[in-house]
Amino acid sequence: MSKDQLVGWALALISVVVILLYGWLVFFTSWDVLVLKLTGFAAVAGVFGILAWIGYTLATTPPPKPIEEIEKEIEEELKRLEQESQQAQQGAQ
């Protein structure tokens, strides 16, 4: 059995155990309200934590350059390379 298959079976087994444990905690113990509160909090915190991370990333990332600026830089670079090429050809003659 390959390592990937072993990891896959381990994840599947752990998932089934967690599902059964969660079901037992919610339906067959007196901790049902606490378990549901913790689960709800973890879900909400996870979703809004991801949204906060996306918002922070958007707020701190500089905006992209306009296409006109990029085209202008490319044209300048091409002109510079063309001039260097012509100078090199003249120097070789």
Side-chain angles (χ1 to χ4, degrees), residues 15-28:
S15 297
V16 170
V17 169
V18 169
I19 290 168
L20 293 174
L21 178 64
Y22 185 79
W24 178 75
L25 285 171
V26 170
F27 295 110
F28 299 111

Side-chain angles (χ1 to χ4, degrees), residues 16-66:
V16 170
V17 169
V18 169
I19 290 168
L20 293 174
L21 178 64
Y22 185 79
W24 178 75
L25 285 171
V26 170
F27 295 110
F28 299 111
T29 67
S30 61
W31 299 348
D32 57 345
V33 175
L34 177 64
V35 170
L36 290 173
K37 285 181 180 180
L38 289 173
T39 304
F41 176 77
V44 170
V47 167
F48 284 100
I50 291 169
L51 284 176
W53 173 62
I54 292 170
Y56 173 78
T57 302
L58 287 172
T60 58
T61 302
K65 290 182 181 180

Side-chain angles (χ1 to χ4, degrees), residues 64-77:
K65 290 182 181 180
I67 293 187
E68 293 81 18
E69 273 187 50
I70 296 171
E71 289 174 344
K72 185 177 178 183
E73 289 176 6
I74 291 172
E75 287 174 9
E76 290 173 0
E77 183 69 20

